[in-house]
Amino acid sequence: MPAPLTDAQRAQLADLLPAWTRLPDRDAIQRRFKFADFSAAWAFMSRVALLAEQQDHHPEWENVYNRVVITLTTHDTGGLSDRDLKLATAIDRVSPAT
Ligand code: H2B
């Protein structure tokens, strides 16, 4: 079972995941990506899909041409958990430098 983020972990979020922002209206983090074109965006999404399957943790996301928006939260616990931290960290590793 995922472990909800503790207050201490929440306080560290900005340092641990500087490219991600907390959403004001729900317990979730979000990152926006922009690529050269649709093909590059889809290649990135393919990598993220494999990571998500490996981790059994799945993003909410949307893609419009060369843009991808990823929102992470844990539906099973109704908010951020250690699984969101882990997946966000893995996504950062396969994302292009910003
Ligand atoms: N993804 C996300 N983001 N939150 C979850 O609570 C979640 C998931 N639960 N992927 C997993 C799948 C669960 O539904 C399955 C049964 O493991």
Side-chain angles (χ1 to χ4, degrees), residues 21-30 32 60 71-72 80:
T21 52
R22 303 267 304 267
L23 291 186
D25 52 346
R26 50 190 297 221
D27 196 22
I29 53 174
Q30 187 173 83
R32 292 169 184 271
E60 298 173 23
T71 303
L72 298 179
L80 286 167

Side-chain angles (χ1 to χ4, degrees), residues 47-62:
R47 298 187 76 182
V48 172
L50 294 174
L51 289 172
E53 263 309 273
Q54 278 169 2
Q55 297 186 12
D56 190 27
H57 198 62
H58 301 87
E60 298 173 23
W61 56 2
E62 61 185 71

Side-chain angles (χ1 to χ4, degrees), residues 56-58 73-76:
D56 190 27
H57 198 62
H58 301 87
T73 190
T74 302
H75 307 115
D76 292 339

